[in-house]
């Protein structure tokens, strides 16, 4: 009986709108196995899921299975969007967006307001500004591509050392896309290099040394989607997900795990 309970907890069979909405409220990444009735769920991947969940933590990785017939049933259509107008916490944007983080070193030195003012003066719109203290599990997943580096543990420890400000940025001015424009405003990763090459950049003004470089930004648009899916699970890119898209599309948005800066 014990092993059966463990398997149920590992992968949830989503068969109702209520179960789906409960899954959407889960923190972290959601992996959904959409299967056809004639073949059933993909059992061979269960052990892989279990291994991944042990590595990243049970609170940051969730698995669900959904029969494809449920997606095409118009009377019981699962959707990532609530139509009753009650989903006030769901952030969406029809414009390109990127993630910006004001790191703990800048926050602890009281530079948050100054940095936000400079971001706005540079032509960015801030869709969301949330103060949050990251967990170690979140940051290990966030920076997993750097796990083999000597500075990995120091970076994870720093990002969990105090509150950060997590911003979702979009842009209405200028010709650069929002990701490129934000990386230009940040400047080179190393504050010493930033002060030499781009003295007006944020890292030149507010960073001290690595990894205390004040701000983080997504490397490209693909990384922006991955990072936003991890840290803002309810965020929706309205420009690429139709208004009544089925849940499988909103799930795929959450699955991208690629390298990041």
């Amino acid at each position: 009986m014990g092993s059966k309970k463990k398997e149920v907890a590992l992968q949830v069979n989503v068969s109702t709108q209520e179960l789906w909405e409960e899954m959407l409220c889960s923190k972290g990444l959601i992996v959904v196995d959409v299967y056809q009735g004639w073949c059933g769920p993909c059992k061979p991947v269960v052990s892989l899921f279990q291994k991944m969940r042990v590595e990243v933590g049970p609170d940051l990785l969730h698995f669900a299975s959904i029969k494809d017939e449920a997606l095409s049933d118009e009377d019981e259509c699962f959707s990532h969007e609530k139509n009753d107008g009650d989903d006030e916490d769901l952030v969406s944007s029809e414009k390109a967006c990127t993630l910006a983080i004001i790191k703990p070193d800048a926050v602890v030195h009281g530079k948050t307001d100054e940095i936000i003012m400079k971001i706005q003066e540079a032509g960015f719109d801030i869709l969301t500004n949330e103060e949050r203290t990251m967990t170690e599990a979140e940051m290990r997943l966030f920076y997993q591509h750097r796990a083999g580096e000597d500075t990995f543990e120091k970076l994870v420890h720093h990002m969990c050392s105090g509150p950060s400000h997590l911003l979702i940025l979009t842009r209405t001015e200028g010709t650069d896309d929002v990701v490129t424009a934000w990386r230009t405003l940040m400047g080179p990763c190393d504050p010493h290099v930033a002060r030499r090459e781009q003295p007006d950049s944020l890292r030149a003004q507010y960073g001290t040394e690595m990894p205390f470089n004040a701000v983080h930004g997504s490397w490209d648009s693909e990384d922006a989607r991955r990072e936003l899916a991890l840290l803002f699970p309810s965020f929706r890119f309205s420009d690429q997900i139709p208004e009544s898209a089925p849940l499988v599309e909103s799930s795929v948005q959450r699955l991208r795990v690629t390298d990041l800066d």
Side-chain angles (χ1 to χ4, degrees):
M1 293 296 292
S3 61
K4 184 176 292 185
K5 289 182 179 179
K6 185 175 181 180
E7 184 175 346
V8 171
L10 176 66
Q11 189 168 14
V12 178
N13 182 27
V14 178
S15 56
T16 67
Q17 178 71 28
E18 289 73 23
L19 282 175
W20 174 240
E21 291 174 358
E22 183 178 340
M23 287 293 296
L24 288 183
C25 293
S26 301
K27 186 178 181 180
L29 297 178
I30 301 175
V31 178
V32 180
D33 173 20
V34 180
Y35 65 92
Q36 294 184 336
W38 64 269
C39 64
C42 184
K43 294 182 179 179
V45 301
V46 172
S47 59
L48 175 61
F49 287 171
Q50 188 171 15
K51 180 180 178 182
M52 292 170 60
R53 199 173 187 188
V54 169
E55 290 178 352
V56 304
D59 295 331
L60 290 179
L61 203 53
H62 308 276
F63 304 101
S65 60
I66 303 172
K67 196 173 181 179
D68 68 339
E69 282 86 348
L71 301 180
S72 59
D73 189 342
E74 294 182 355
D75 294 331
E76 297 180 344
C77 178
F78 296 112
S79 172
H80 70 288
E81 176 182 286
K82 291 184 180 179
N83 295 320
D84 55 11
D86 294 334
D87 195 4
E88 298 179 355
D89 294 331
L90 184 64
V91 180
S92 64
S93 176
E94 296 181 355
K95 302 174 183 177
C97 299
T98 192
L99 174 71
I101 299 178
I102 303 177
K103 296 183 176 182
D105 53 297
V107 175
V108 75
H109 288 106
K111 301 301 183 181
T112 302
D113 291 342
E114 289 183 33
I115 293 175
I116 288 177
M117 182 177 67
K118 289 182 181 293
I119 290 172
Q120 293 173 324
E121 289 176 348
F124 294 91
D125 291 330
I126 300 175
L127 300 181
T128 296
N129 176 6
E130 179 180 324
E131 182 177 293
R132 189 191 308 176
T133 299
M134 306 294 191
T135 66
E136 181 178 342
E138 282 178 321
M139 290 298 94
R140 287 187 179 279
L141 182 60
F142 192 84
Y143 288 112
Q144 62 178 330
H145 70 293
R146 301 183 61 176
E149 298 180 10
D150 295 337
T151 58
F152 176 69
E153 295 296 334
K154 185 177 182 180
L155 176 61
V156 170
H157 175 75
H158 168 55
M159 293 301 292
C160 303
S161 64
S164 298
H165 274 255
L166 279 61
L167 314 177
I168 299 178
L169 303 181
T170 187
R171 185 170 170 84
T172 56
E173 302 177 8
T175 57
D176 289 342
D177 67 90
V178 64
V179 177
T180 301
W182 171 234
R183 294 196 62 80
T184 299
L185 182 61
M186 287 192 301
C189 290
D190 189 328
H192 297 297
V193 176
R195 281 188 282 273
R196 184 173 64 251
E197 298 181 356
Q198 292 180 238
D200 293 331
S201 65
L202 295 180
R203 284 167 170 164
Q205 297 178 67
Y206 300 105
T208 54
E209 60 182 4
M210 293 297 290
F212 312 112
N213 59 355
V215 289
H216 165 85
S218 306
W219 179 257
D220 54 27
S221 59
E222 190 173 358
D223 278 340
R225 290 179 177 277
R226 187 195 73 87
E227 294 177 348
L228 289 169
L230 174 63
L231 300 179
F232 292 95
S234 63
F235 182 77
R236 182 178 69 250
F237 291 88
S238 296
D239 60 328
Q240 294 199 356
I241 298 181
E243 189 172 357
S244 17
L247 71 110
V248 64
E249 295 187 37
S250 61
S251 301
V252 170
Q253 172 194 337
R254 298 163 179 265
L255 296 182
R256 289 191 176 274
V257 180
T258 57
D259 292 342
L260 67 159
D261 181 24

